[in-house]
Every structure is written in structure tokens, then in C-alpha cells.
């Protein structure tokens, strides 16, 4: 009922920036919270940032002060990533929670931070 498509990943130098986008389609009006998760090779998927319908945001301690999550009226969610570190490398996955209590995932976009 809801589909998510991420974009904006790529290769960046340490200290650089990336801006990720996640576009929602389908029954977008049933979406509640949206978030970004990260999964590095051999690691479990972890919450990076979460944004509620009122725009309030929460962040993992590891990205506070460097990443910013936001959303627009079309339920496109963004993740601005600054001061990137090699440990930020991984697949970034968009997540949406609906009023039907469904959890929807995108297929991810790869961000690589390397010299």
C-alpha cells in the first residue's frame, strides 16, 4: 500500500557530505513516522534518525550534530549527512510506519565514505 524509494547515495571523502532522499508512493496519507536506518557489512541494521508527523526528530548518538532528517508535505524524507566518517559507510534504508501498524522499507542506497 506504501512504497519507498531511496536515492542520493554515493562515494564521498571523509569530512564530506551526502544528501539522501526517500520518496513515498501509494497510500502516502496513512504514513506516520518515517526514518532512516543504516546497515554496515556484518552489522545489524540500526536507527540513524526518525522524524514524526509534527516534524520532531530524534537521532542516534553517533550522528548527532552531523546529520539532519526532515520531511515535506508529500512525505518525502531527507537525510542531510555532513562531516562524514568512514564508519558512516553502509546501506541506508528508508522506513515508514503507517496507521495500519505496517512497517515499510525501501531497498536502500549505498553511502561509502573513503579516501
Amino acid at each position: 500500500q506504501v512504497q519507498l524509494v531511496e536515492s542520493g547515495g554515493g562515494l564521498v571523502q571523509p569530512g564530506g557530505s551526502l544528501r539522501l532522499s526517500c520518496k513515498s508512493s501509494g497510500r502516502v496519507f496513512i504514513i506516520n513516522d518515517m526514518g532512516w536506518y543504516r546497515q554496515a557489512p556484518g552489522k545489524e541494521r540500526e536507527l540513524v534518525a526518525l522524524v514524526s508527523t509534527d516534524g520532531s526528530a530524534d537521532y542516534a548518538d553517533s550522528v548527532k550534530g552531523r546529520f539532519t532528517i526532515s520531511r515535506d508535505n508529500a512525505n518525502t524524507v531527507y537525510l542531510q549527512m555532513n562531516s562524514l566518517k568512514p564508519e558512516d559507510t553502509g546501506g541506508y534504508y528508508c522506513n515508514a510506519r503507517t496507521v495500519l501498524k505496517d512497517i515499510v522499507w525501501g531497498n536502500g542506497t549505498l553511502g561509502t565514505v573513503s579516501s
Side-chain angles (χ1 to χ4, degrees):
Q1 299 299 308
V2 175
Q3 299 83 43
L4 305 173
V5 179
E6 304 97 331
S7 62
L11 175 65
V12 67
Q13 298 266 98
S17 297
L18 287 171
R19 188 168 191 258
L20 308 183
S21 298
C22 172
K23 294 185 177 180
S24 304
S25 62
R27 298 177 64 188
V28 300
F29 299 113
I30 66 173
I31 294 173
N32 289 142
D33 295 348
M34 300 187 73
W36 285 97
Y37 290 70
R38 179 172 66 202
Q39 188 165 25
K43 301 275 287 183
E44 66 183 40
R45 191 172 297 183
E46 63 177 348
L47 176 65
V48 173
L50 184 71
V51 61
S52 300
T53 54
D54 65 358
S56 61
D58 292 297
Y59 300 91
D61 288 342
S62 62
V63 307
K64 285 181 179 177
R66 300 189 297 120
F67 291 11
T68 303
I69 189 171
S70 60
R71 69 195 292 174
D72 64 20
N73 291 333
N75 282 329
T76 297
V77 64
Y78 306 91
L79 187 67
Q80 179 67 47
M81 305 190 294
N82 298 325
S83 302
L84 284 163
K85 305 173 181 179
E87 52 262 44
D88 293 319
T89 294
Y92 284 80
Y93 297 86
C94 186
N95 167 272
R97 306 175 190 184
T98 77
V99 298
L100 303 176
K101 301 183 180 180
D102 294 325
I103 300 175
V104 183
W105 293 96
N107 287 326
T109 185
L110 179 63
T112 302
V113 185
S114 176
S115 298

